[in-house]
Amino acid sequence: MQGIPAQYTTSAGEIPNARYIRAARKKRQVARAQADFIPLHSCGRSDISVSELNEEDLISDDELDDHERRIDFTKQLKTQRQRMGELIGVNESDDESLKSEEEDDDQKLWEQQQIQRVKVFPSSSIEPASQPCTLVKNTKWETWRKLPPTNLETVRKRLTIKLDSLQEVYRSHLREHEKMQVLAESSQCTIEHLEDIPDPGHRYKFYQEMRTYVQNLTNCFNEKIRIINELESKMHLQLVEQARNLFQRRQDDVQDESTDAWQLLSKAGPSIGNDIDRVKAKQQRIERREARRAHREQLRKASGKEADHHKGLSSDDEIAPTDLSDFHEKEDHVRKEAKEIFEDVHEDFYRVDRILAKFRLWRQRFPDSYYDAYIGLCLQKILNPLIRVQLISWNPLKHECLELAEMPWILALEEFCLMEDEKFEKQENSDRLLLPTVIEKTIIPKIEDFVINVWDPLSSSQTASLVQVCRKLKEEYGVFKNEQSKATQALRRTIIMRITMSVEEDAFIPLYPKNVLEDQTSIHYQFWERCFWSAVKLLGNILQWDDLLPEQTLQDLGLNKLFNRYILLSLQNSLPVLGNLEKCKKIIALFPSCWFENLEGQSSIPQLENLCRYLLQSIRTMYENNSTTPDTENSGREAIKEMVQMLVSIHALDHTEIITTECKLDYLEWIFKGN
């Protein structure tokens, strides 16, 4: 450059220093002074050489041109910095010094930024003043070189991690936002619900009244529950004692008859010994036994049922008049005490309909709090003592006993459940489950006690009544339909256990030679006949539980343990075929028809395979007898036809086809081909 000393010049690529910049400013100032105009601040001096200008006379390049300057006609307003300086006691000179220091700092910052932006090339002409900048640059370059290498994949991974973190934070904020929205909606609903209540004090008053009522009701039951338990125990013990006496009497009668028949068969005289009292007691038992049988026979003749009766089919559960009057006297005393339990109590605390009316009012006025408190589950425990009082004299083993559907408490419960609003019926804690729950918690345990302690499976009347009660519970209240109910499962196990005990203890059929049984007037035949029909009666009582007990369990108890072990074995060792034909028909008529429906193939159920073989053998014997004795041909053909029909009725079609082919019974093919 012209006009600038050599020490103020730079080569290409070098960063200008402060002296170079100052010289450039002077050059521009001289060029401006040589222009063809007179500056306002020159005071008429137009020809000034460059040498006459010193550094103080040079105008900074940062100052404004003449046309850009403003003329202030008023006193210039002070800046905020100046006003703050006056407040803290700083004068203009100090402010100028601060300003100059700030400008120097800005200048240094600008120089550092320029050093970072411009690539420095090494040159020998660089003066010592530029060496510190180069040193700073080299230091930073060394620092960058020590950093680990960075590629696009690393950057992508870091950005992905950062994005996942931000998304997780976003999701958490979103969940929090949704939660707040739900809470806000719930709060709004609560506010609207509370605003709809005309008088909040009325709700509080109602709750206080219900709280007091429930407390008084609980206190009342706590005082009466001990009396209820005592009366239940008294009645139950009387029934248990009566059942045990009847069972023991039947065992003694069977033992006495069996002993007499064995002594007569062995032609041995009675072993009296020195026990005269025992002989007298036995004689008294025999007299009472024969008197009961004679009395039952008179009753059957009077009613016209003697023709269809067989010895051993009667239950023999008559009670002596003295014992019966004593039992009725104790029973009436218990009933009287049961009626006096709540004589000193207001009706609102012992009548089921009154108690349910209180809770129904709560359900109608404030259904939300009613269902939130699970009152339907609590009502079962509240009503339990009252129902037990009404069931003290209830006996499911008697036909004349009052049915459950006619009891006042069950009618009140049915009405209470039916009056529930439809929109609450599908809830988990709905009151529609109250009645089945009460039956499972109150009725089923009472029936279970009767089954294990009082029920006699050998009694047809007791079994029929008990089965009828259980069947109504299943059909009307769905008790046995709920397989998951613990109460129902316990009742089933109790029934099965009691039937098993009866088969093991009551089933007894003596085995006598066939020549002994030929005389139907003998003591042996009459005793065998009575025991046989008693076992058949027990089989019929067991099979009455069809559709209430599992089918496989029922077949195992009735067929395997009773029929095949006792009844069928006795048939095989008894009279000829014609004498057993009626017995077989009676037995097969006891089998439930549902057992033989939807069977696959031509065979019957496996438990009846022995019966099928017995019938086949009987048909062969009858066919051979008809061939040798033409006089009995008609009766034999009729007996064969009935036995074939028996095979068809138990779905033994394979055996039927075999025997018709073997014995040339072509005229009977229509019987099994139609099935």
Side-chain angles (χ1 to χ4, degrees):
M1 291 183 182
Q2 298 180 359
I4 299 176
Q7 62 269 22
Y8 302 130
T9 62
T10 60
S11 60
E14 294 183 357
I15 298 175
N17 54 19
R19 294 182 180 180
Y20 178 83
I21 295 171
R22 191 177 296 108
R25 287 179 178 176
K26 288 182 180 181
K27 181 180 177 181
R28 286 196 300 270
Q29 181 63 32
V30 171
R32 186 182 299 171
Q34 293 176 358
D36 296 334
F37 64 88
I38 301 174
L40 295 177
H41 63 278
S42 62
C43 300
R45 297 174 61 185
S46 60
D47 49 350
I48 301 176
S49 62
V50 176
S51 60
E52 293 177 355
L53 295 174
N54 52 18
E55 294 182 2
E56 289 77 11
D57 297 330
L58 293 176
I59 301 174
S60 175
D61 208 25
D62 296 331
E63 294 179 356
L64 298 174
D65 294 335
D66 295 338
H67 67 281
E68 293 177 347
R69 297 180 180 275
R70 294 175 57 187
I71 302 175
D72 296 330
F73 296 95
T74 60
K75 185 177 180 179
Q76 187 176 3
L77 298 177
K78 296 181 179 181
T79 62
Q80 185 176 3
R81 177 185 291 275
Q82 293 175 350
R83 291 196 299 271
M84 292 177 63
E86 292 178 356
L87 292 175
I88 62 177
V90 180
N91 53 22
E92 293 182 0
S93 60
D94 296 336
D95 186 74
E96 291 294 331
S97 62
L98 292 173
K99 187 175 182 180
S100 61
E101 291 177 0
E102 292 177 0
E103 291 177 356
D104 294 339
D105 295 336
D106 294 340
Q107 182 67 22
K108 292 179 181 179
L109 180 62
W110 180 81
E111 291 177 357
Q112 292 178 1
Q113 292 175 354
Q114 294 299 322
I115 291 172
Q116 295 177 359
R117 294 174 58 185
V118 179
K119 184 176 181 181
V120 180
F121 295 91
S123 177
S124 59
S125 62
I126 297 177
E127 296 182 359
S130 64
Q131 291 181 0
C133 297
T134 305
L135 182 61
V136 173
K137 179 66 177 178
N138 293 336
T139 304
K140 292 186 176 181
W141 177 255
E142 292 296 331
T143 304
W144 292 344
R145 290 180 61 186
K146 293 180 181 179
L147 294 176
T150 303
N151 52 19
L152 184 60
E153 184 65 23
T154 304
V155 174
R156 188 184 67 81
K157 289 182 179 180
R158 291 180 180 177
L159 291 176
T160 303
I161 294 173
K162 185 65 176 177
L163 180 61
D164 294 341
S165 177
L166 292 176
Q167 288 179 349
E168 182 64 28
V169 173
Y170 171 74
R171 285 193 292 268
S172 64
H173 290 171
L174 187 62
R175 288 193 296 269
E176 190 69 21
H177 176 67
E178 293 176 354
K179 183 178 179 181
M180 292 300 177
Q181 284 183 336
V182 173
L183 292 176
E185 293 176 0
S186 177
S187 301
Q188 184 64 29
C189 293
T190 304
I191 293 172
E192 294 176 357
H193 178 69
L194 294 176
E195 289 178 351
D196 293 339
I197 299 176
D199 186 9
H202 177 68
R203 175 189 285 260
Y204 176 77
K205 181 180 179 182
F206 177 80
Y207 287 158
Q208 289 295 328
E209 292 177 354
M210 286 300 301
R211 178 174 177 271
T212 304
Y213 175 76
V214 172
Q215 286 181 347
N216 295 334
L217 187 65
T218 305
N219 295 334
C220 175
F221 289 161
N222 290 335
E223 294 180 0
K224 304 297 183 181
I225 194 67
R226 181 182 58 82
I227 305 175
I228 296 174
N229 293 335
E230 292 178 356
L231 295 179
E232 276 187 333
S233 300
K234 286 182 180 179
M235 181 63 73
H236 188 66
L237 289 175
Q238 292 179 21
L239 295 172
V240 171
E241 183 180 1
Q242 184 186 74
R244 289 178 180 175
N245 292 336
L246 293 175
F247 174 77
Q248 187 62 41
R249 187 181 71 183
R250 183 172 64 244
Q251 293 290 327
D252 293 339
D253 292 342
V254 173
Q255 183 67 28
D256 294 340
E257 288 189 273
S258 177
T259 303
D260 294 341
W262 177 81
Q263 290 176 354
L264 185 61
L265 183 63
S266 61
K267 297 180 181 180
S271 57
I272 300 176
N274 297 325
D275 196 354
I276 301 176
D277 295 337
R278 200 164 91 181
V279 175
K280 290 182 178 180
K282 178 181 177 180
Q283 188 64 31
Q284 292 176 0
R285 290 197 302 268
I286 294 174
E287 292 176 357
R288 289 194 294 266
R289 180 187 68 200
E290 296 301 328
R292 292 194 303 271
R293 291 176 180 176
H295 178 68
R296 290 196 298 270
E297 185 176 358
Q298 292 177 359
L299 294 178
R300 287 193 299 269
K301 289 181 178 180
S303 60
K305 298 180 180 179
E306 181 65 22
D308 298 332
H309 180 75
H310 296 279
K311 294 180 179 180
L313 292 180
S314 59
S315 299
D316 193 17
D317 52 2
E318 294 88 355
I319 304 176
T322 56
D323 297 337
L324 186 61
S325 61
D326 185 36
F327 175 79
H328 286 323
E329 183 180 353
K330 294 180 180 179
E331 187 179 18
D332 294 339
H333 181 69
V334 173
R335 290 177 180 175
K336 182 179 178 182
E337 290 183 353
K339 292 181 180 179
E340 296 175 354
I341 292 178
F342 294 102
E343 282 188 348
D344 58 342
V345 179
H346 193 270
E347 290 183 349
D348 291 344
F349 295 93
Y350 75 88
R351 286 186 55 178
V352 176
D353 54 346
R354 293 289 188 91
I355 295 174
L356 292 177
K358 293 280 187 181
F359 289 96
R360 183 168 60 246
L361 182 62
W362 185 359
R363 187 177 64 185
Q364 293 175 353
R365 291 187 178 180
F366 312 107
D368 295 339
S369 61
Y370 177 86
Y371 289 101
D372 291 342
Y374 290 89
I375 300 301
L377 300 178
C378 301
L379 283 176
Q380 181 270 323
K381 295 184 178 180
I382 293 175
L383 301 177
N384 187 292
L386 300 176
I387 297 174
R388 287 168 56 190
V389 171
Q390 299 186 32
L391 293 176
I392 285 179
S393 59
W394 180 68
N395 189 345
L397 305 178
K398 293 184 178 180
H399 286 288
E400 63 274 10
C401 189
L402 183 64
E403 294 187 3
L404 289 174
E406 300 176 359
M407 292 186 176
W409 64 269
I410 204 168
L411 297 176
L413 272 175
E414 289 178 347
E415 182 182 0
F416 178 79
C417 297
L418 291 175
M419 293 182 65
E420 185 180 18
D421 197 343
E422 294 181 357
K423 64 180 180 181
F424 298 109
E425 289 182 355
K426 296 183 179 181
Q427 292 186 357
E428 182 181 359
N429 55 346
S430 173
D431 286 338
R432 61 183 173 83
L433 302 176
L434 177 58
L435 185 54
T437 303
V438 169
I439 292 175
E440 289 184 1
K441 300 295 184 181
T442 307
I443 305 299
I444 298 299
K446 189 174 183 66
I447 295 177
E448 186 178 353
D449 289 338
F450 273 92
V451 168
I452 195 63
N453 296 311
V454 183
W455 175 45
D456 180 14
L458 204 58
S459 174
S460 300
S461 59
Q462 292 184 10
T463 303
S465 178
L466 182 61
V467 169
Q468 183 181 5
V469 170
C470 294
R471 204 172 294 278
K472 286 185 177 180
L473 290 177
K474 178 183 178 180
E475 296 174 355
E476 298 179 6
Y477 308 107
V479 173
F480 282 84
K481 295 180 181 179
N482 186 7
E483 299 294 337
Q484 304 298 328
S485 174
K486 294 182 179 180
T488 304
Q489 293 177 1
L491 179 59
R492 283 196 177 119
R493 289 194 298 267
T494 304
I495 294 172
I496 294 172
M497 182 179 63
R498 185 66 187 91
I499 292 175
T500 305
M501 292 172 56
S502 181
V503 170
E504 295 175 354
E505 297 174 356
D506 297 329
F508 173 73
I509 304 177
L511 294 178
Y512 297 127
K514 292 184 178 181
N515 58 353
V516 175
L517 299 178
E518 290 178 357
D519 185 8
Q520 297 186 1
T521 61
S522 63
I523 297 177
H524 306 87
Y525 178 81
Q526 292 180 2
F527 179 60
W528 177 88
E529 182 88 356
R530 188 177 298 277
C531 293
F532 177 85
W533 286 110
S534 178
V536 172
K537 178 180 65 174
L538 179 59
L539 176 63
N541 293 342
I542 294 174
L543 298 183
Q544 287 187 39
W545 292 98
D546 179 53
D547 195 34
L548 294 175
L549 297 180
E551 184 176 292
Q552 190 65 31
T553 303
L554 209 60
Q555 291 177 358
D556 181 64
L557 290 173
L559 300 182
N560 289 338
K561 294 184 178 181
L562 180 58
F563 176 73
N564 291 329
R565 185 180 299 178
Y566 296 100
I567 299 176
L568 185 59
L569 183 61
S570 179
L571 286 175
Q572 293 171 350
N573 294 276
S574 61
L575 296 174
V577 178
L578 288 176
N580 294 335
L581 184 61
E582 183 183 1
K583 294 182 176 64
C584 292
K585 291 172 62 177
K586 292 282 187 180
I587 294 170
I588 293 177
L590 298 175
F591 298 153
S593 59
C594 61
W595 286 3
F596 312 107
E597 296 175 358
N598 303 323
L599 287 178
E600 298 180 358
Q602 302 292 317
S603 301
S604 182
I605 58 179
Q607 292 84 354
L608 294 179
E609 184 65 25
N610 293 333
L611 176 62
C612 296
R613 294 176 182 176
Y614 172 74
L615 291 176
L616 288 179
Q617 184 63 32
S618 300
I619 293 174
R620 293 189 182 100
T621 304
M622 186 63 64
Y623 180 76
E624 294 175 357
N625 293 337
N626 289 341
S627 301
T628 56
T629 56
D631 297 337
T632 60
E633 183 177 357
N634 293 332
S635 60
R637 289 171 61 91
E638 190 66 24
I640 291 174
K641 178 181 177 181
E642 291 182 358
M643 284 186 282
V644 171
Q645 290 177 341
M646 292 180 198
L647 289 173
V648 174
S649 64
I650 60 176
H651 197 76
L653 303 180
D654 51 349
H655 294 290
T656 306
E657 186 175 359
I658 291 173
I659 196 62
T660 52
T661 304
E662 180 182 344
C663 298
K664 299 179 182 181
L665 305 175
D666 299 339
Y667 63 94
L668 297 178
E669 290 183 355
W670 62 272
I671 297 177
F672 67 91
K673 286 186 177 180
N675 291 272

